């Protein structure tokens, strides 16, 4: 397995490098003067090797010589990519301003440097070319030895089948005592299956990541006495799996649903009575004939089919055409790890998609005790309780892991605490080496192996983050892009491609969503501990990344460290560890030694979010000319950026949110590749020339104190996210006119707008009223300034999902305007957002509103209002909160007030509400 993974990673690297070189040949021929032939030769060699790597990646067992060759290929790929990137960056980087006589000498020196760079790349490419040619020769040797490899495949297959027997078979033989936490889920599925009022064919999909018990749940339904007793005259259980043969699947269905050979003969029109079932099936090699046979055998009957472990929508589509849609009350159950498969199979009725979740802590404990300890009480001895709890935390609610690890512990008759502690401390190693635990690793690795090659590096990069860490989607996507794992393709931006990759990982149940934004998009996620163990084992074997945790890490001999993740309480690396090839550094610790960044010219990603630098912004960062991603978010004690920040001319992502920085240096305008300039919550002062940052997509908060800044912002026509603030004093007429012009210029790009004018005079209302072409594509809007009434074009914000208002002093009738916005999901009405002290919600407004936050207002809800509302947060109501009982969709109610009567009233209403919403009460 390890070699197959390595092959796929190298395949990805080689295709990436070949693509970069080809692009250089096509678009930057002038830069390659003197080295064109070497580049073309490398492209040809790389493209010849990659098909072989792809073919070999399907093999499970490769000999040591081939595995060593794969590792050598990977290192060559990395070295080649480093040389290419350095060469391109050195030749492309030019001063942003070359006017004047003084710059003549700069241009002259740069010409000399470019000659030196060409000489350097020529030398590097020749070295790599020699290595690649050698790899090609080895490829030929291994290709010739393939026949010998294939000729002995029967023995290898036998051994492989012994080692890699299907681990999912355990789900078919689960003792009744181990069916913990399954009753409620089983009853719900059984209700769908036996619903006699629903006569049309109904597909039920059970979806969730590997090891959650989807197959076990389906099996308890399939084997239910009512089902077996004749409720469905025809039943069949078909395991589909990743590598399926559709003809064989149809034959399996026929074997299980046919009563005798005569039935099959009648359906296919065969008159030869001497043929048995297998002989009859062998006569049907045509897929259409098999489909007709299945449909004929099922026609007019009430049937229950289970398609277990479906990985492809294509597999479902092929199976679906064989299912007659008779009105007999037939049912089909599909188990899958892939949300797309569930959505496709239940395309007509998504209400029958059942998401299988991990067990709660209580149910995990019950299942563990039933598996490990003896009946009838299944009690855990006191001396084993603490270590048992620690082991269960590793399982994180996964029934497969609990049952399997519990079985191993149950096999130890002495049940010594020290033995259990050893298992806990070395569980990752045990899962990979212990025969009793191998099935956990096998089940989870199946999901990884099923990934297309371009998703594998993206998924492995999740190993950067600690256990149970909440991973923000945008942070992850931007690091993928900076690392070169994701890039724009076929007219789609890199951001769109990265978002698609992330959604695929979610759809495949490889990451679990934690939070969603107002449009329903996954905002953050985490990786199950067991799946993280699988990732970390691959990372270590393939040298994809090095993880620093509690103990110092000693790198393997000759190992080049490319990515480094520094976790809290890490003791660091042993002295003299070579980090000269480092390309990515992420820290989750408290303080990072400055020496880590010296002479690290290959660094592309530096993520220092939340750490303590222990020093001002290091000037050595300016030497990292390949750097694309720099996050200084939430670093305390950071109050300024030096002028040398302008030397990072390949920087695309700069995040300084949560720092004490209040002004950006003049050289910031040299970062002309910058896409995201993330600041806040305080507003920053920006230098002149911000118009030069043409690629900016996200910008702010910017302190707008002059007309020129607003004019320059209007030239950034790709801006999607903008935050601007104004001083306390009244705005001059010229400023007002420019605000109107700014919003008109950005009306085709702007998706998020935040405006601050605290304690202002209200002049901004005039500017907003007079916007000639309003930004009607806005999805998020935050206004913190005096308006007195909403500008007319607010009523046309048909795409806006979230609105935050504070100190706007609106009129009560403006609530009707907000209520008519068709896409509004989240509404926050802060301090003095309205002139009245009473806010009432009536009628049919706010059709999609799910989250409502109100501060310092008496609130009332009438019957029929806010039918979609799920979460209401009310802070500081002066006197009253009425009508919460009328919010029929309510799931959570938050009340913050020192008024004891209001608190008791809300708690009582929540307790008696039909939905039993969660109630959170604060002062």
């Amino acid at each position: 397995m390890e070699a197959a993974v390595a092959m796929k990673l190298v395949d990805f690297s080689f295709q990436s490098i070949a693509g970069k070189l080809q692009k250089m040949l096509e678009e930057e021929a002038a830069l390659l003067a003197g080295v064109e032939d070497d580049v073309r030769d490398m492209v040809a060699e790389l493209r010849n090797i990659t098909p072989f790597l792809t073919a070999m990646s399907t093999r499970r067992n490769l000999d040591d010589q081939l595995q060593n060759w794969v590792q050598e290929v990977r290192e060559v790929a990395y070295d080649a990519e480093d040389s290419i990137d350095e060469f391109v960056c050195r030749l492309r980087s030019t001063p942003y301003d070359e006017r004047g006589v003084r710059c003549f000498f700069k241009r002259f020196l740069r010409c000399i440097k470019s000659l030196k760079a060409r000489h350097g790349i020529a030398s590097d490419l020749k070295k790599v070319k020699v290595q690649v040619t050698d790899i090609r020769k080895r490829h030929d040797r291994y290709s010739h030895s393939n026949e010998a490899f294939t000729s002995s495949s029967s023995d290898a297959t036998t051994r492989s089948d012994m080692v890699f027997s299907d681990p999912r078979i355990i789900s078919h033989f689960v003792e009744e005592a181990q069916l913990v936490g399954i009753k409620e889920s089983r009853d719900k599925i059984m209700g769908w299956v036996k619903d006699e009022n629903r006569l049309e064919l109904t597909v039920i999909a059970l979806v969730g990541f590997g090891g959650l018990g989807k197959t076990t749940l389906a099996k308890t339904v399939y084997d239910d006495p009512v089902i077996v007793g004749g409720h469905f005259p025809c039943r069949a259980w078909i395991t589909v799996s990743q590598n399926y043969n559709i003809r064989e699947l149809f034959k399996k269905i026929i074997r299980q649903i046919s009563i005798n050979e005569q039935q099959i003969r009648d359906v296919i029109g065969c008159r030869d009575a001497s043929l048995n079932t297998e002989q009859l099936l062998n006569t049907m090699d045509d897929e259409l004939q098999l489909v007709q046979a299945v449909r004929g055998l099922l026609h007019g009957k009430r049937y229950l089919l289970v398609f277990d472990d479906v990985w492809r929508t294509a597999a479902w589509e092929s199976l679906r055409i064989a299912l007659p849609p008779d009105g007999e009350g037939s049912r089909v159950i599909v188990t899958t790890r892939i949300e797309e498969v569930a959505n496709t199979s239940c395309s007509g009725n998504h209400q029958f998609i059942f998401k299988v979740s991990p067990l709660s802590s209580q149910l995990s404990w019950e299942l563990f005790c039933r598996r490990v300890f003896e009946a009838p009480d299944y009690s855990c001895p006191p001396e084993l309780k603490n270590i048992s709890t620690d082991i269960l935390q590793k399982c994180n609610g996964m029934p497969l892991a609990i049952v399997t690890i519990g079985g191993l512990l149950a096999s130890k008759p002495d049940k010594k605490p020290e033995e259990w502690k050893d298992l806990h401390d070395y569980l990752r190693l045990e899962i990979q080496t212990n025969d009793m635990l191998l099935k956990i690793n096998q089940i989870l690795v199946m999901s990884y192996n099923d990934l297309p090659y371009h998703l594998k590096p993206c998924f492995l990069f999740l190993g950067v983050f600690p256990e149970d860490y909440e991973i923000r989607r945008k942070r992850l996507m931007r690091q993928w892009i900076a690392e070169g794992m994701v890039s724009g393709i076929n007219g789609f931006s890199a951001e769109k491609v990265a978002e698609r990759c992330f959604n695929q990982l979610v759809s495949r149940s490889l990451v679990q969503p934690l939070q969603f934004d107002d449009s329903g998009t996954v905002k953050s996620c985490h990786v199950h501990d067991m799946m993280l163990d699988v990732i970390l084992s691959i990372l270590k074997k393939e040298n994809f990344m090095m993880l620093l945790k509690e103990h110092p890490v000693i790198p393997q001999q000759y190992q080049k460290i490319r990515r480094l993740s520094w976790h809290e309480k890490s003791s660091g690396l042993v002295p003299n560890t070579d980090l000269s090839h480092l390309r990515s550094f992420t820290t989750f610790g408290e303080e990072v030694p400055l020496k880590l960044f010296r002479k690290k010219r290959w660094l592309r990603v530096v993520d220092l979010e939340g750490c303590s630098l222990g020093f001002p912004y290091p000037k050595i960062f300016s030497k990292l000319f390949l750097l694309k991603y720099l996050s200084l978010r939430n670093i305390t004690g950071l109050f300024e950026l030096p002028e040398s920040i302008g030397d990072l001319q390949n920087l695309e992502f700069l995040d300084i949110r949560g720092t004490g920085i209040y002004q950006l240096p003049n050289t910031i305008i040299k970062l002309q590749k910058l896409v995201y300039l993330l600041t806040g919550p305080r507003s920053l002062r920006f230098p002149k020339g911000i118009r030069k940052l043409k690629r900016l997509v996200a910008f702010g908060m910017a302190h707008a104190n002059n007309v020129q800044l607003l004019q320059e912002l209007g030239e950034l026509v790709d801006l999607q996210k903008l935050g601007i603030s104004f001083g306390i004093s009244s705005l001059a007429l010229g400023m007002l006119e420019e605000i109107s012009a700014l919003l008109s210029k950005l009306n085709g790009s702007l998706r998020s707008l935040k405006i601050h004018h605290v304690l202002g005079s209200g002049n901004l209302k005039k500017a907003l009223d007079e916007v000639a072409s309003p930004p009607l594509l806005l999805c998020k809007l935050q206004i913190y300034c005096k308006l007195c009434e909403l500008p007319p074009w607010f009523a046309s914000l048909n795409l806006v999902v979230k609105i935050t208002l504070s100190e706007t002093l609106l009129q009560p009738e403006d609530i009707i305007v907000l209520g008519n916005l068709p896409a509004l999901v989240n509404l926050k009405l802060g301090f003095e957002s309205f002139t009245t002290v009473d806010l009432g919600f009536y009628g049919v407004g706010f059709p999609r509103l799910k989250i409502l936050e109100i501060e310092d207002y008496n609130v009332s809800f009438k019957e029929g209002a806010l039918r979609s509302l799920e979460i209401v947060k009310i802070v500081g109501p002066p006197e009253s909160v009425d009508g919460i009982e009328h919010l029929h969709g309510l799931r959570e109610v938050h009340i913050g007030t020192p008024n004891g009567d209001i608190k008791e009233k809300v708690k009582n209403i929540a307790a008696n509400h039909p939905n039993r919403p969660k109630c959170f009460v604060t002062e």
Side-chain angles (χ1 to χ4, degrees):
M1 186 274 289
E2 293 84 359
V5 172
M7 286 288 191
K8 290 173 182 176
L9 289 175
V10 175
D11 180 19
F12 170 82
S13 298
F14 268 40
Q15 292 195 44
S16 172
I17 295 164
K20 285 186 177 183
L21 289 172
Q22 187 65 47
K23 185 175 181 181
M24 288 170 66
L25 285 172
E26 294 171 356
E27 300 178 5
E28 317 245 9
L31 296 180
L32 297 174
V35 295
E36 304 100 316
D37 291 340
D38 289 326
V39 172
R40 287 193 180 90
D41 289 345
M42 277 187 64
V43 171
E45 293 288 359
L46 292 171
R47 294 202 185 282
N48 283 331
I49 291 175
T50 46
F52 176 67
L53 292 170
T54 303
M56 296 300 287
S57 68
T58 60
R59 298 239 173 106
R60 278 178 174 162
N61 297 316
L62 299 175
D63 58 41
D64 291 340
Q65 187 178 11
L66 191 52
Q67 290 189 42
N68 291 334
W69 174 74
V70 169
Q71 293 207 4
E72 184 182 349
V73 171
R74 182 181 58 245
E75 291 304 322
V76 170
Y78 277 134
D79 289 341
E81 187 175 17
D82 287 342
S83 296
I84 294 164
D85 285 345
E86 181 180 18
F87 174 67
V88 173
C89 287
R90 284 190 182 279
L91 292 188
R92 280 182 182 168
S93 59
T94 59
Y96 77 100
D97 189 351
E98 293 191 340
R99 294 168 297 178
V101 176
R102 212 183 318 177
C103 291
F104 169 80
F105 295 101
K106 292 183 179 179
R107 292 195 298 273
F108 177 73
L109 290 173
R110 195 173 67 256
C111 289
I112 295 176
K113 288 181 179 179
S114 69
L115 291 174
K116 183 179 179 182
R118 281 193 179 89
H119 178 76
I121 190 66
S123 176
D124 288 345
L125 287 178
K126 287 183 185 301
K127 290 178 183 177
V128 175
K129 180 183 174 183
V130 170
Q131 291 174 296
V132 171
T133 302
D134 187 43
I135 289 169
R136 174 66 176 169
K137 291 177 181 177
R138 297 189 199 189
H139 156 258
D140 292 338
R141 287 203 299 272
Y142 277 107
S143 294
H144 292 313
S145 65
N146 266 349
E147 291 182 6
F149 191 93
T150 305
S151 65
S152 61
S153 61
S154 58
D155 293 338
T157 301
T158 303
R159 290 193 300 271
S160 175
D161 289 342
M162 291 173 62
V163 177
F164 291 93
S165 61
D166 192 342
R168 292 162 296 188
I169 198 170
I170 188 176
S171 303
H172 291 264
F173 303 98
V174 180
E175 299 174 14
E176 184 68 26
Q178 296 174 23
L179 296 177
V180 172
I182 206 172
K183 183 179 184 304
E184 185 177 345
S185 300
R186 177 179 58 189
D187 290 347
K188 184 169 186 176
I189 305 301
M190 282 296 294
W192 291 344
V193 168
K194 296 191 300 180
D195 185 0
E196 296 185 357
N197 295 321
R198 190 174 185 83
L199 297 180
E200 65 268 28
L201 173 63
T202 302
V203 181
I204 300 164
L206 312 182
V207 62
F209 64 88
L212 282 184
K214 300 181 296 295
T215 299
T216 301
L217 176 57
K219 198 74 171 68
T220 60
V221 173
Y222 186 79
D223 291 338
D224 187 272
V226 174
I227 305 298
V228 176
H231 188 81
F232 293 96
C234 286
R235 289 192 314 145
W237 181 287
I238 308 298
T239 301
V240 180
S241 298
Q242 291 169 314
N243 301 312
Y244 64 91
N245 182 311
I246 193 64
R247 293 184 179 86
E248 289 302 316
L249 294 182
F250 287 139
K251 290 179 181 180
K252 288 180 181 180
I253 297 174
I254 293 171
R255 291 188 188 101
Q256 294 187 48
I257 64 176
S258 58
I259 299 173
N260 50 51
E261 286 88 351
Q262 188 58 48
Q263 264 194 330
I264 302 176
R265 293 191 196 98
D266 292 343
V267 168
I268 66 175
C270 178
R271 298 183 179 179
D272 189 345
S274 65
L275 299 179
N276 60 28
T277 297
E278 292 306 313
Q279 290 170 330
L280 287 168
L281 290 175
N282 289 335
T283 66
M284 294 185 287
D285 289 330
D286 181 68
E287 186 175 323
L288 178 59
Q289 193 176 12
L290 287 165
V291 169
Q292 291 172 337
V294 173
R295 290 181 70 93
L297 290 168
L298 293 176
H299 179 69
K301 299 182 178 67
R302 182 164 59 202
Y303 57 86
L304 171 65
L305 303 182
V306 177
F307 296 122
D308 185 37
D309 200 31
V310 182
W311 291 78
R312 306 279 183 274
T313 56
W316 164 252
E317 294 292 354
S318 298
L319 292 166
R320 180 185 59 82
I321 61 175
L323 308 177
D326 299 335
E328 306 290 340
S330 296
R331 301 289 185 263
V332 174
I333 298 176
V334 174
T335 74
T336 180
R337 305 184 192 192
I338 316 296
E339 284 188 3
E340 185 181 6
V341 171
N343 292 332
T344 302
S345 60
C346 296
S347 57
N349 294 287
H350 282 184
Q351 69 188 83
F352 296 112
I353 296 177
F354 185 86
K355 294 189 176 182
V356 182
S357 303
L359 296 176
S360 66
S361 299
Q362 181 180 350
L363 291 175
S364 296
W365 178 257
E366 183 179 346
L367 176 59
F368 179 81
C369 290
R370 285 179 174 272
R371 185 71 177 96
V372 178
F373 305 112
E374 297 179 358
D377 53 359
Y378 305 108
S379 62
C380 174
E383 66 273 13
L384 293 176
K385 280 192 175 181
N386 288 337
I387 188 61
S388 296
T389 301
D390 291 342
I391 290 172
L392 277 179
Q393 282 185 330
K394 292 277 189 181
C395 298
N396 203 8
M398 183 190 291
L400 170 69
I402 297 170
V403 169
T404 308
I405 294 172
L408 176 61
L409 294 173
S411 69
K412 300 180 182 294
D414 296 335
K415 292 184 172 50
K416 297 178 180 178
E418 54 270 23
E419 286 187 359
W420 286 37
K421 188 177 187 307
D422 285 343
L423 176 66
H424 170 269
D425 292 344
Y426 299 100
L427 185 58
R428 184 174 300 153
L429 178 63
E430 289 286 339
I431 288 175
Q432 297 171 41
T433 58
N434 190 302
D435 288 342
M436 292 185 68
L437 302 184
L438 273 176
K439 59 177 68 71
I440 299 175
N441 193 65
Q442 292 172 26
I443 284 283
L444 297 177
V445 166
M446 288 174 68
S447 290
Y448 174 78
N449 286 337
D450 190 63
L451 286 172
Y453 80 89
H454 68 279
L455 281 180
K456 289 181 180 293
C458 296
F459 181 61
L460 290 182
F461 196 81
L462 292 165
V464 165
F465 301 93
E467 288 183 12
D468 302 320
Y469 192 86
E470 183 173 349
I471 305 168
R472 297 193 309 278
R473 172 179 59 90
K474 290 183 178 179
R475 179 185 188 184
L476 179 64
M477 287 166 40
R478 289 163 185 168
Q479 290 189 345
W480 286 344
I481 295 170
E483 280 262 8
M485 296 174 183
V486 172
S487 58
I489 186 172
N490 295 333
F492 291 96
S493 66
E495 290 77 11
K496 288 292 184 184
V497 176
E499 189 166 12
R500 177 175 173 79
C501 290
F502 180 84
N503 291 339
Q504 286 179 301
L505 295 182
V506 173
S507 173
R508 290 170 172 268
S509 303
L510 287 169
V511 296
Q512 284 71 61
L514 287 180
Q515 294 190 44
F516 296 82
D517 65 17
D518 300 308
S519 61
T521 302
V522 177
K523 190 175 180 180
S524 64
C525 67
H526 81 291
V527 182
H528 191 282
D529 287 353
M530 290 290 173
M531 183 58 81
L532 183 59
D533 286 344
V534 170
I535 293 173
L536 295 179
S537 67
I538 298 172
L539 294 181
K540 184 176 181 181
K541 290 168 184 171
E542 306 312 324
N543 190 26
F544 186 85
M545 182 196 74
M546 177 166 286
L547 177 65
L548 299 182
K549 295 181 73 175
E550 293 86 358
H551 307 293
V553 176
I554 304 175
Q556 299 175 16
Q557 192 176 15
Y558 307 122
Q559 185 183 53
K560 294 178 180 178
I561 301 174
R562 307 284 181 176
R563 298 176 181 88
L564 193 62
S565 180
W566 184 298
H567 289 195
E568 192 174 359
K569 299 178 181 178
S570 170
S571 300
L573 290 158
V574 296
N576 301 319
T577 300
D578 181 14
L579 294 176
S580 61
H581 298 273
L582 195 64
R583 57 171 56 193
S584 172
F585 178 79
T586 306
T587 180
F588 302 91
E590 296 179 358
E591 187 168 338
V592 180
L594 181 61
K595 62 182 180 181
L596 268 175
F597 304 106
R598 290 198 180 102
K599 298 181 180 180
K600 304 300 183 295
R601 60 178 183 161
W602 309 119
L603 269 170
R604 294 155 172 82
V605 173
V606 173
D607 191 334
L608 304 177
E609 180 176 328
C611 80
S612 174
L613 288 177
F615 45 80
Y617 175 92
K619 293 183 179 180
I620 55 172
F621 280 7
S622 62
K623 305 296 183 183
L624 309 178
F625 65 88
L626 287 177
L627 196 64
K628 292 186 176 182
Y629 180 105
L630 177 60
S631 177
L632 306 172
R633 184 173 182 175
N634 294 333
I635 294 181
T636 56
L638 184 61
F639 297 103
E640 64 178 5
L641 294 177
E643 294 289 333
S644 61
I645 188 74
D647 295 334
L648 304 177
Q649 293 188 31
N650 289 289
L651 198 64
E652 296 178 5
F653 306 90
L654 176 59
D655 191 345
I656 55 174
R657 287 173 290 184
T659 65
I661 298 171
Y662 68 93
Q663 184 167 351
L664 291 177
N666 293 331
T667 54
I668 199 76
I669 62 175
K670 295 170 66 176
L671 306 181
Q672 295 178 21
K673 293 185 180 180
L674 207 58
V675 179
Y676 291 90
L677 179 51
L678 305 174
T679 70
R682 63 160 53 183
S683 60
L684 269 72
R685 296 182 181 274
F686 287 81
K688 294 179 181 179
I690 210 73
R691 62 162 59 92
K692 296 180 182 292
L693 306 183
K694 296 295 186 183
R695 296 181 59 188
L696 271 185
V697 169
F699 182 91
M701 289 284 294
H703 181 70
N705 57 353
N706 59 71
V707 169
Q708 182 177 351
L709 178 61
L710 295 174
Q711 290 173 338
E712 293 197 35
L713 289 175
E715 295 185 35
L716 304 178
V717 294
D718 290 330
L719 268 184
Q720 297 179 17
K721 182 176 182 179
L722 173 63
I724 51 177
S725 69
F726 304 94
I728 295 177
S729 61
S730 300
L731 293 169
L733 181 61
M735 289 278 285
L736 295 176
E737 292 174 350
E738 204 54 52
I739 292 169
S740 302
L742 168 64
L743 296 180
S744 291
K745 291 174 184 176
L746 301 180
N747 69 342
S749 63
L750 211 55
R751 299 297 187 273
S752 175
L753 175 64
K754 184 175 183 179
I755 298 177
H756 259 267
H757 188 211
V758 180
L759 302 178
S761 64
N763 290 345
L764 267 175
K765 170 66 165 56
K766 175 179 171 61
L768 295 178
D769 281 347
E770 295 178 358
V771 176
S773 299
L776 300 183
L777 299 179
L778 283 174
C779 298
K780 182 185 290 188
L781 178 63
Q782 300 178 66
I783 304 290
Y784 300 81
C785 67
K786 183 178 179 181
L787 293 180
C788 297
E789 62 178 340
L790 293 174
W793 55 269
F794 274 43
S796 300
L797 293 174
N798 293 330
L799 300 179
V800 73
V801 174
K802 181 177 182 179
I803 292 180
T804 300
L805 302 173
S806 183
E807 302 181 42
T808 48
L809 295 173
L810 300 177
Q811 304 304 310
E813 53 268 24
D814 283 319
I815 201 76
I816 300 173
V817 176
L818 298 174
N820 289 331
L821 297 176
L824 189 61
V825 172
N826 188 327
L827 176 62
K828 183 174 181 179
L829 302 176
F831 174 71
E832 290 190 346
S833 51
F834 283 82
T835 55
T836 181
V837 295
D838 300 306
L839 286 178
F841 294 86
Y842 314 93
V844 294
F846 300 98
R848 296 186 60 188
L849 194 68
K850 292 185 177 181
I851 303 171
L852 175 64
E853 297 183 49
I854 299 177
E855 183 179 353
D856 292 336
Y857 288 94
N858 297 321
V859 188
S860 62
F861 306 98
K862 297 298 183 182
E863 180 66 44
L866 306 182
R867 292 186 175 275
S868 299
L869 195 68
E870 297 179 0
I871 300 173
V872 60
K873 299 181 180 180
I874 304 172
V875 178
E879 297 176 357
S880 63
V881 175
D882 295 312
I884 290 178
E885 65 273 14
H886 298 146
L887 302 175
H888 298 299
L890 200 61
R891 293 190 296 107
E892 292 181 17
V893 54
H894 301 248
I895 183 72
T897 176
N899 190 316
D901 293 338
I902 293 179
K903 287 192 289 189
E904 286 303 314
K905 179 180 179 180
V906 171
K907 285 196 291 185
N908 289 335
I909 292 174
N912 294 301
H913 195 287
N915 295 352
R916 295 292 191 271
K918 296 179 181 178
C919 186
F920 302 89
V921 179
T922 57
E923 290 293 335

